[in-house]
Amino acid sequence: MLYDFFSVNTSPFNLEVKETFEQLYIKAVFNRPQGAFVTKLFDELKSLSIRDSFELFLDISGASVRISNTSPESLQVLTKHLEDNDDDDDDECEIIVNIKKVINDNTVSVYFMGVFAKYLSISPLKDMFVTLSAIHNGKLLFEVFSTIMPFYSSGMYFYQSGQPIVKSDFLNDKKRYAFLEMLSENSNVMDVNLKVLPSDFYLVVNAENQVINKFFSKACGVLSLMFMANTSGFKSENELAYRICGFKTISCESVVFSDVEVDSEVLYKLMSWSFEGGSCADKIGLLRNVLSIHLDDSGSIKFDNEVWNTVRSNYQIYLKGNIQNYLDVKNKIGEIIIESTTKTYAIADDLLDVFKNNVFVILTFILTVVVVNGVKDNGSENIFSGVYLAVVVILCLVSSMWLVMTAHEAKKRFEAASKTIKEILNLNYKKIIMDSEIDDSVDPVLANNKDYLDTQIKRYVRWWMATASIVVISFIIGYFTLGKPKSADSLNDANKEKAVLTSQKAGDTKTVADTLKAVDPQKVVDIPKVVETPKVVETPKVVDPQKVVDPQKVADAKKLADTKTVADTKTVTNTKTVD
């Protein structure tokens, strides 16, 4: 690093260093040429930020060369120039390095921290505000090419090159614009178009360099006073003029920045209180009323802890007269937030219903189609057939697609509802309370609801993927272990046995034979046919009325005939001849 290089190399020479936001200027003068020094400096220039560019001039007794990069050709130019002028050791050698800084990604380079701090402290504060307003774009990072401990505010961050940025909670653009809008509505700053805020100069972590701390404290106090005043402007490089209109109009024609710096802490607290939370216009008006009567013996406003306590106490009294309206608004916002949370839970419940329906479809298929049709009618081996496996896979894929589409639609519904809620609240209540207070009330709840919805979506998707995977894997395993087709002989034997059993149950001898022939035409089974004896039709006899027939004898004879017929039928059925 350049700073470390010039700190270590203490050869007798005159060194001049100037550093601003735009450039770094280094001039070193030697009594005689310093070849080793020039070579080392050339190597150090390789450590410059890639954002920046440089020019190096080497002048020996009026003869100079210029390089603008660290290529080997540039090193040869410097070396040759040193060799050409190495005859006279009394020649004066002058080295000038001019580095042009470029701000990229809201980042600016700082090479000599002490020199840069001095530049900030001696420059007119008005010029600093103009410069920073031009380059500050929500946040400003300073990459320091020397060893430092990080320090920062809500809008600026100083960190050592090569070290990670720890802070990430910069003031967001919406709040920044709200502050600047409140400034334009309630204050009039002459000669400067401010784009920086007092919070940009209020260091959360102080720097090790006290000059830096002093500059930031001064800038923070002056900006805070300008925000609170009705009108303000720079009278000179170190003086500010302002006017505050409250119960009385207080005009201060001149206040030096050193006095403002002493009261910087209190000024920042008063400004922050009036511009953050609640009704800004009312709080600014109350603050100006209190300041206009809190004066010292010379008639100037006293900025001390007493005025800070007085302002807060008066605001409590003010709230008691308007507390009901304020609470009504806050309660209404709370109801809308609760309704939003309820809708979020309803969306999550809809996803749970989709998951339940998917599981129900799979279980219904397994119970009604697979188990009933497979086990009852076709045997357990048909449960894991290729057809059923394909149906299960298709059902799982379709259900998965439906769950994913429902989850995507749920996210879109939530985002649309959240946007609508914020628009309604800002439209109806922005004239009563600040936009930032509405955002502070709504944004955390919406963020929590979004996190909850995302968590539920991930949970239901994991559950469904686990369920679908178990079902599909089970069917795949069953297909390869139980669902493979059997051999032809096994199928023939099984079909024979089934056909015989079916025919025997029906009692149809001819059907049994025909079925066996259909199963295996090579094997013929002969079953003797039952020869039916022609029935003789008897001529009705004439009953002699003289002869009396005993009814009991008739019944016994009929029973005996029936028994004989059954016996003959069994005999014929059991007679089989198999070739």
PDB file of all heavy atoms in Angstrom, residues 265-274 287 290-291 294 302-314:
ATOM      1  N   GLU A 265     -24.701  16.528  19.780  1.00  0.00           N
ATOM      2  CA  GLU A 265     -25.459  15.366  20.267  1.00  0.00           C
ATOM      3  C   GLU A 265     -26.918  15.719  20.524  1.00  0.00           C
ATOM      4  O   GLU A 265     -27.841  15.007  20.102  1.00  0.00           O
ATOM      5  CB  GLU A 265     -24.805  14.819  21.526  1.00  0.00           C
ATOM      6  CG  GLU A 265     -25.338  13.479  21.995  1.00  0.00           C
ATOM      7  CD  GLU A 265     -24.886  12.325  21.119  1.00  0.00           C
ATOM      8  OE1 GLU A 265     -23.838  12.461  20.464  1.00  0.00           O
ATOM      9  OE2 GLU A 265     -25.588  11.296  21.095  1.00  0.00           O
ATOM     10  N   VAL A 266     -27.162  16.845  21.229  1.00  0.00           N
ATOM     11  CA  VAL A 266     -28.533  17.256  21.537  1.00  0.00           C
ATOM     12  C   VAL A 266     -29.273  17.667  20.271  1.00  0.00           C
ATOM     13  O   VAL A 266     -30.456  17.338  20.082  1.00  0.00           O
ATOM     14  CB  VAL A 266     -28.523  18.414  22.558  1.00  0.00           C
ATOM     15  CG1 VAL A 266     -29.941  18.934  22.793  1.00  0.00           C
ATOM     16  CG2 VAL A 266     -27.909  17.965  23.871  1.00  0.00           C
ATOM     17  N   LEU A 267     -28.605  18.376  19.399  1.00  0.00           N
ATOM     18  CA  LEU A 267     -29.234  18.789  18.140  1.00  0.00           C
ATOM     19  C   LEU A 267     -29.691  17.587  17.321  1.00  0.00           C
ATOM     20  O   LEU A 267     -30.787  17.590  16.744  1.00  0.00           O
ATOM     21  CB  LEU A 267     -28.251  19.642  17.330  1.00  0.00           C
ATOM     22  CG  LEU A 267     -27.998  21.064  17.834  1.00  0.00           C
ATOM     23  CD1 LEU A 267     -26.805  21.679  17.117  1.00  0.00           C
ATOM     24  CD2 LEU A 267     -29.234  21.926  17.653  1.00  0.00           C
ATOM     25  N   TYR A 268     -28.848  16.568  17.280  1.00  0.00           N
ATOM     26  CA  TYR A 268     -29.225  15.377  16.501  1.00  0.00           C
ATOM     27  C   TYR A 268     -30.408  14.658  17.142  1.00  0.00           C
ATOM     28  O   TYR A 268     -31.305  14.179  16.433  1.00  0.00           O
ATOM     29  CB  TYR A 268     -28.037  14.433  16.376  1.00  0.00           C
ATOM     30  CG  TYR A 268     -28.355  13.184  15.584  1.00  0.00           C
ATOM     31  CD1 TYR A 268     -28.529  13.240  14.214  1.00  0.00           C
ATOM     32  CD2 TYR A 268     -28.525  11.961  16.229  1.00  0.00           C
ATOM     33  CE1 TYR A 268     -28.841  12.101  13.489  1.00  0.00           C
ATOM     34  CE2 TYR A 268     -28.835  10.827  15.508  1.00  0.00           C
ATOM     35  CZ  TYR A 268     -29.001  10.893  14.129  1.00  0.00           C
ATOM     36  OH  TYR A 268     -29.330   9.771  13.416  1.00  0.00           O
ATOM     37  N   LYS A 269     -30.450  14.582  18.464  1.00  0.00           N
ATOM     38  CA  LYS A 269     -31.580  13.928  19.131  1.00  0.00           C
ATOM     39  C   LYS A 269     -32.880  14.679  18.865  1.00  0.00           C
ATOM     40  O   LYS A 269     -33.922  14.058  18.604  1.00  0.00           O
ATOM     41  CB  LYS A 269     -31.319  13.830  20.636  1.00  0.00           C
ATOM     42  CG  LYS A 269     -30.283  12.800  21.014  1.00  0.00           C
ATOM     43  CD  LYS A 269     -30.334  12.447  22.497  1.00  0.00           C
ATOM     44  CE  LYS A 269     -30.028  13.637  23.369  1.00  0.00           C
ATOM     45  NZ  LYS A 269     -29.978  13.257  24.811  1.00  0.00           N
ATOM     46  N   LEU A 270     -32.838  16.018  18.932  1.00  0.00           N
ATOM     47  CA  LEU A 270     -34.039  16.805  18.672  1.00  0.00           C
ATOM     48  C   LEU A 270     -34.514  16.637  17.233  1.00  0.00           C
ATOM     49  O   LEU A 270     -35.715  16.482  16.969  1.00  0.00           O
ATOM     50  CB  LEU A 270     -33.758  18.284  18.961  1.00  0.00           C
ATOM     51  CG  LEU A 270     -33.528  18.657  20.430  1.00  0.00           C
ATOM     52  CD1 LEU A 270     -33.036  20.097  20.538  1.00  0.00           C
ATOM     53  CD2 LEU A 270     -34.791  18.459  21.251  1.00  0.00           C
ATOM     54  N   MET A 271     -33.573  16.680  16.292  1.00  0.00           N
ATOM     55  CA  MET A 271     -33.939  16.515  14.896  1.00  0.00           C
ATOM     56  C   MET A 271     -34.517  15.125  14.634  1.00  0.00           C
ATOM     57  O   MET A 271     -35.555  14.987  13.971  1.00  0.00           O
ATOM     58  CB  MET A 271     -32.701  16.747  14.021  1.00  0.00           C
ATOM     59  CG  MET A 271     -32.955  16.776  12.513  1.00  0.00           C
ATOM     60  SD  MET A 271     -33.193  15.162  11.725  1.00  0.00           S
ATOM     61  CE  MET A 271     -31.748  14.284  12.284  1.00  0.00           C
ATOM     62  N   SER A 272     -33.847  14.096  15.161  1.00  0.00           N
ATOM     63  CA  SER A 272     -34.323  12.727  14.934  1.00  0.00           C
ATOM     64  C   SER A 272     -35.713  12.531  15.518  1.00  0.00           C
ATOM     65  O   SER A 272     -36.579  11.902  14.901  1.00  0.00           O
ATOM     66  CB  SER A 272     -33.341  11.728  15.559  1.00  0.00           C
ATOM     67  OG  SER A 272     -32.067  11.836  14.968  1.00  0.00           O
ATOM     68  N   TRP A 273     -35.940  13.059  16.700  1.00  0.00           N
ATOM     69  CA  TRP A 273     -37.254  12.909  17.343  1.00  0.00           C
ATOM     70  C   TRP A 273     -38.355  13.561  16.513  1.00  0.00           C
ATOM     71  O   TRP A 273     -39.445  13.008  16.371  1.00  0.00           O
ATOM     72  CB  TRP A 273     -37.205  13.519  18.740  1.00  0.00           C
ATOM     73  CG  TRP A 273     -38.540  13.561  19.418  1.00  0.00           C
ATOM     74  CD1 TRP A 273     -39.145  12.561  20.109  1.00  0.00           C
ATOM     75  CD2 TRP A 273     -39.446  14.674  19.427  1.00  0.00           C
ATOM     76  NE1 TRP A 273     -40.376  12.980  20.558  1.00  0.00           N
ATOM     77  CE2 TRP A 273     -40.584  14.270  20.140  1.00  0.00           C
ATOM     78  CE3 TRP A 273     -39.393  15.963  18.896  1.00  0.00           C
ATOM     79  CZ2 TRP A 273     -41.664  15.113  20.356  1.00  0.00           C
ATOM     80  CZ3 TRP A 273     -40.475  16.808  19.101  1.00  0.00           C
ATOM     81  CH2 TRP A 273     -41.598  16.382  19.826  1.00  0.00           C
ATOM     82  N   SER A 274     -38.070  14.729  15.965  1.00  0.00           N
ATOM     83  CA  SER A 274     -39.107  15.466  15.240  1.00  0.00           C
ATOM     84  C   SER A 274     -39.372  14.893  13.848  1.00  0.00           C
ATOM     85  O   SER A 274     -40.483  15.019  13.330  1.00  0.00           O
ATOM     86  CB  SER A 274     -38.718  16.944  15.121  1.00  0.00           C
ATOM     87  OG  SER A 274     -37.484  17.083  14.436  1.00  0.00           O
ATOM     88  N   LEU A 287     -41.657  21.415  18.545  1.00  0.00           N
ATOM     89  CA  LEU A 287     -40.244  21.649  18.816  1.00  0.00           C
ATOM     90  C   LEU A 287     -39.888  23.125  18.636  1.00  0.00           C
ATOM     91  O   LEU A 287     -39.187  23.726  19.477  1.00  0.00           O
ATOM     92  CB  LEU A 287     -39.397  20.776  17.876  1.00  0.00           C
ATOM     93  CG  LEU A 287     -37.884  21.009  17.898  1.00  0.00           C
ATOM     94  CD1 LEU A 287     -37.315  20.678  19.269  1.00  0.00           C
ATOM     95  CD2 LEU A 287     -37.197  20.190  16.815  1.00  0.00           C
ATOM     96  N   VAL A 290     -41.141  25.255  21.542  1.00  0.00           N
ATOM     97  CA  VAL A 290     -40.332  25.132  22.753  1.00  0.00           C
ATOM     98  C   VAL A 290     -39.000  25.859  22.581  1.00  0.00           C
ATOM     99  O   VAL A 290     -38.545  26.589  23.478  1.00  0.00           O
ATOM    100  CB  VAL A 290     -40.119  23.653  23.115  1.00  0.00           C
ATOM    101  CG1 VAL A 290     -39.144  23.512  24.281  1.00  0.00           C
ATOM    102  CG2 VAL A 290     -41.435  22.985  23.445  1.00  0.00           C
ATOM    103  N   LEU A 291     -38.354  25.684  21.421  1.00  0.00           N
ATOM    104  CA  LEU A 291     -37.053  26.325  21.201  1.00  0.00           C
ATOM    105  C   LEU A 291     -37.165  27.850  21.231  1.00  0.00           C
ATOM    106  O   LEU A 291     -36.232  28.547  21.667  1.00  0.00           O
ATOM    107  CB  LEU A 291     -36.465  25.872  19.865  1.00  0.00           C
ATOM    108  CG  LEU A 291     -36.025  24.411  19.758  1.00  0.00           C
ATOM    109  CD1 LEU A 291     -35.538  24.103  18.336  1.00  0.00           C
ATOM    110  CD2 LEU A 291     -34.921  24.096  20.762  1.00  0.00           C
ATOM    111  N   HIS A 294     -36.965  28.922  24.860  1.00  0.00           N
ATOM    112  CA  HIS A 294     -35.877  28.372  25.683  1.00  0.00           C
ATOM    113  C   HIS A 294     -34.596  29.110  25.304  1.00  0.00           C
ATOM    114  O   HIS A 294     -33.799  28.640  24.483  1.00  0.00           O
ATOM    115  CB  HIS A 294     -35.751  26.875  25.457  1.00  0.00           C
ATOM    116  CG  HIS A 294     -34.833  26.200  26.447  1.00  0.00           C
ATOM    117  ND1 HIS A 294     -35.191  25.955  27.745  1.00  0.00           N
ATOM    118  CD2 HIS A 294     -33.555  25.738  26.314  1.00  0.00           C
ATOM    119  CE1 HIS A 294     -34.202  25.344  28.366  1.00  0.00           C
ATOM    120  NE2 HIS A 294     -33.187  25.216  27.517  1.00  0.00           N
ATOM    121  N   LYS A 302     -30.908  28.003  23.646  1.00  0.00           N
ATOM    122  CA  LYS A 302     -30.013  27.091  24.356  1.00  0.00           C
ATOM    123  C   LYS A 302     -30.352  25.657  23.938  1.00  0.00           C
ATOM    124  O   LYS A 302     -31.482  25.201  24.113  1.00  0.00           O
ATOM    125  CB  LYS A 302     -30.181  27.235  25.872  1.00  0.00           C
ATOM    126  CG  LYS A 302     -29.710  28.552  26.441  1.00  0.00           C
ATOM    127  CD  LYS A 302     -29.654  28.500  27.968  1.00  0.00           C
ATOM    128  CE  LYS A 302     -30.998  28.211  28.573  1.00  0.00           C
ATOM    129  NZ  LYS A 302     -30.939  28.224  30.045  1.00  0.00           N
ATOM    130  N   PHE A 303     -29.368  24.988  23.384  1.00  0.00           N
ATOM    131  CA  PHE A 303     -29.539  23.589  23.002  1.00  0.00           C
ATOM    132  C   PHE A 303     -28.854  22.725  24.054  1.00  0.00           C
ATOM    133  O   PHE A 303     -27.630  22.506  24.010  1.00  0.00           O
ATOM    134  CB  PHE A 303     -28.926  23.334  21.617  1.00  0.00           C
ATOM    135  CG  PHE A 303     -29.583  24.116  20.516  1.00  0.00           C
ATOM    136  CD1 PHE A 303     -28.995  25.272  20.023  1.00  0.00           C
ATOM    137  CD2 PHE A 303     -30.792  23.711  19.979  1.00  0.00           C
ATOM    138  CE1 PHE A 303     -29.578  26.000  19.009  1.00  0.00           C
ATOM    139  CE2 PHE A 303     -31.398  24.427  18.956  1.00  0.00           C
ATOM    140  CZ  PHE A 303     -30.792  25.583  18.473  1.00  0.00           C
ATOM    141  N   ASP A 304     -29.624  22.256  25.025  1.00  0.00           N
ATOM    142  CA  ASP A 304     -29.076  21.452  26.108  1.00  0.00           C
ATOM    143  C   ASP A 304     -30.051  20.342  26.447  1.00  0.00           C
ATOM    144  O   ASP A 304     -31.127  20.216  25.827  1.00  0.00           O
ATOM    145  CB  ASP A 304     -28.769  22.320  27.329  1.00  0.00           C
ATOM    146  CG  ASP A 304     -29.969  23.182  27.746  1.00  0.00           C
ATOM    147  OD1 ASP A 304     -31.095  22.873  27.307  1.00  0.00           O
ATOM    148  OD2 ASP A 304     -29.775  24.158  28.511  1.00  0.00           O
ATOM    149  N   ASN A 305     -29.725  19.534  27.429  1.00  0.00           N
ATOM    150  CA  ASN A 305     -30.573  18.417  27.820  1.00  0.00           C
ATOM    151  C   ASN A 305     -31.900  18.886  28.394  1.00  0.00           C
ATOM    152  O   ASN A 305     -32.905  18.164  28.340  1.00  0.00           O
ATOM    153  CB  ASN A 305     -29.850  17.529  28.828  1.00  0.00           C
ATOM    154  CG  ASN A 305     -28.753  16.704  28.186  1.00  0.00           C
ATOM    155  OD1 ASN A 305     -28.882  16.278  27.043  1.00  0.00           O
ATOM    156  ND2 ASN A 305     -27.656  16.498  28.906  1.00  0.00           N
ATOM    157  N   GLU A 306     -31.903  20.109  28.951  1.00  0.00           N
ATOM    158  CA  GLU A 306     -33.149  20.632  29.515  1.00  0.00           C
ATOM    159  C   GLU A 306     -34.198  20.833  28.424  1.00  0.00           C
ATOM    160  O   GLU A 306     -35.375  20.495  28.596  1.00  0.00           O
ATOM    161  CB  GLU A 306     -32.877  21.945  30.238  1.00  0.00           C
ATOM    162  CG  GLU A 306     -34.111  22.507  30.918  1.00  0.00           C
ATOM    163  CD  GLU A 306     -33.819  23.800  31.660  1.00  0.00           C
ATOM    164  OE1 GLU A 306     -32.637  24.146  31.797  1.00  0.00           O
ATOM    165  OE2 GLU A 306     -34.789  24.447  32.099  1.00  0.00           O
ATOM    166  N   VAL A 307     -33.785  21.381  27.280  1.00  0.00           N
ATOM    167  CA  VAL A 307     -34.738  21.582  26.204  1.00  0.00           C
ATOM    168  C   VAL A 307     -35.190  20.238  25.636  1.00  0.00           C
ATOM    169  O   VAL A 307     -36.354  20.086  25.207  1.00  0.00           O
ATOM    170  CB  VAL A 307     -34.128  22.479  25.107  1.00  0.00           C
ATOM    171  CG1 VAL A 307     -33.061  21.747  24.315  1.00  0.00           C
ATOM    172  CG2 VAL A 307     -35.209  22.996  24.166  1.00  0.00           C
ATOM    173  N   TRP A 308     -34.322  19.259  25.632  1.00  0.00           N
ATOM    174  CA  TRP A 308     -34.691  17.919  25.175  1.00  0.00           C
ATOM    175  C   TRP A 308     -35.787  17.324  26.059  1.00  0.00           C
ATOM    176  O   TRP A 308     -36.788  16.798  25.557  1.00  0.00           O
ATOM    177  CB  TRP A 308     -33.455  17.040  25.142  1.00  0.00           C
ATOM    178  CG  TRP A 308     -33.691  15.558  25.002  1.00  0.00           C
ATOM    179  CD1 TRP A 308     -33.337  14.596  25.893  1.00  0.00           C
ATOM    180  CD2 TRP A 308     -34.324  14.875  23.925  1.00  0.00           C
ATOM    181  NE1 TRP A 308     -33.698  13.361  25.443  1.00  0.00           N
ATOM    182  CE2 TRP A 308     -34.313  13.498  24.224  1.00  0.00           C
ATOM    183  CE3 TRP A 308     -34.897  15.295  22.729  1.00  0.00           C
ATOM    184  CZ2 TRP A 308     -34.855  12.545  23.381  1.00  0.00           C
ATOM    185  CZ3 TRP A 308     -35.445  14.340  21.890  1.00  0.00           C
ATOM    186  CH2 TRP A 308     -35.417  12.981  22.213  1.00  0.00           C
ATOM    187  N   ASN A 309     -35.636  17.446  27.369  1.00  0.00           N
ATOM    188  CA  ASN A 309     -36.650  16.938  28.298  1.00  0.00           C
ATOM    189  C   ASN A 309     -37.949  17.734  28.193  1.00  0.00           C
ATOM    190  O   ASN A 309     -39.047  17.174  28.282  1.00  0.00           O
ATOM    191  CB  ASN A 309     -36.122  16.984  29.727  1.00  0.00           C
ATOM    192  CG  ASN A 309     -34.946  16.044  29.943  1.00  0.00           C
ATOM    193  OD1 ASN A 309     -34.858  14.992  29.307  1.00  0.00           O
ATOM    194  ND2 ASN A 309     -34.019  16.425  30.816  1.00  0.00           N
ATOM    195  N   THR A 310     -37.835  19.046  27.994  1.00  0.00           N
ATOM    196  CA  THR A 310     -39.030  19.888  27.873  1.00  0.00           C
ATOM    197  C   THR A 310     -39.842  19.519  26.634  1.00  0.00           C
ATOM    198  O   THR A 310     -41.075  19.451  26.683  1.00  0.00           O
ATOM    199  CB  THR A 310     -38.620  21.369  27.804  1.00  0.00           C
ATOM    200  OG1 THR A 310     -37.871  21.706  28.964  1.00  0.00           O
ATOM    201  CG2 THR A 310     -39.848  22.256  27.726  1.00  0.00           C
ATOM    202  N   VAL A 311     -39.163  19.285  25.540  1.00  0.00           N
ATOM    203  CA  VAL A 311     -39.849  18.925  24.298  1.00  0.00           C
ATOM    204  C   VAL A 311     -40.615  17.614  24.473  1.00  0.00           C
ATOM    205  O   VAL A 311     -41.785  17.497  24.080  1.00  0.00           O
ATOM    206  CB  VAL A 311     -38.840  18.826  23.147  1.00  0.00           C
ATOM    207  CG1 VAL A 311     -39.465  18.141  21.935  1.00  0.00           C
ATOM    208  CG2 VAL A 311     -38.331  20.202  22.763  1.00  0.00           C
ATOM    209  N   ARG A 312     -39.991  16.642  25.076  1.00  0.00           N
ATOM    210  CA  ARG A 312     -40.665  15.349  25.263  1.00  0.00           C
ATOM    211  C   ARG A 312     -41.850  15.466  26.206  1.00  0.00           C
ATOM    212  O   ARG A 312     -42.900  14.854  25.980  1.00  0.00           O
ATOM    213  CB  ARG A 312     -39.673  14.314  25.779  1.00  0.00           C
ATOM    214  CG  ARG A 312     -38.633  13.910  24.743  1.00  0.00           C
ATOM    215  CD  ARG A 312     -37.855  12.696  25.192  1.00  0.00           C
ATOM    216  NE  ARG A 312     -37.124  12.956  26.415  1.00  0.00           N
ATOM    217  CZ  ARG A 312     -36.485  12.031  27.115  1.00  0.00           C
ATOM    218  NH1 ARG A 312     -36.513  10.768  26.705  1.00  0.00           N
ATOM    219  NH2 ARG A 312     -35.824  12.348  28.218  1.00  0.00           N
ATOM    220  N   SER A 313     -41.718  16.261  27.271  1.00  0.00           N
ATOM    221  CA  SER A 313     -42.827  16.432  28.209  1.00  0.00           C
ATOM    222  C   SER A 313     -44.005  17.138  27.552  1.00  0.00           C
ATOM    223  O   SER A 313     -45.169  16.737  27.723  1.00  0.00           O
ATOM    224  CB  SER A 313     -42.353  17.242  29.428  1.00  0.00           C
ATOM    225  OG  SER A 313     -41.325  16.565  30.101  1.00  0.00           O
ATOM    226  N   ASN A 314     -43.727  18.174  26.784  1.00  0.00           N
ATOM    227  CA  ASN A 314     -44.806  18.885  26.096  1.00  0.00           C
ATOM    228  C   ASN A 314     -45.487  18.002  25.070  1.00  0.00           C
ATOM    229  O   ASN A 314     -46.696  18.132  24.828  1.00  0.00           O
ATOM    230  CB  ASN A 314     -44.249  20.144  25.427  1.00  0.00           C
ATOM    231  CG  ASN A 314     -44.125  21.313  26.383  1.00  0.00           C
ATOM    232  OD1 ASN A 314     -45.051  22.107  26.546  1.00  0.00           O
ATOM    233  ND2 ASN A 314     -42.982  21.407  27.040  1.00  0.00           N
TER     234      ASN A 314
END
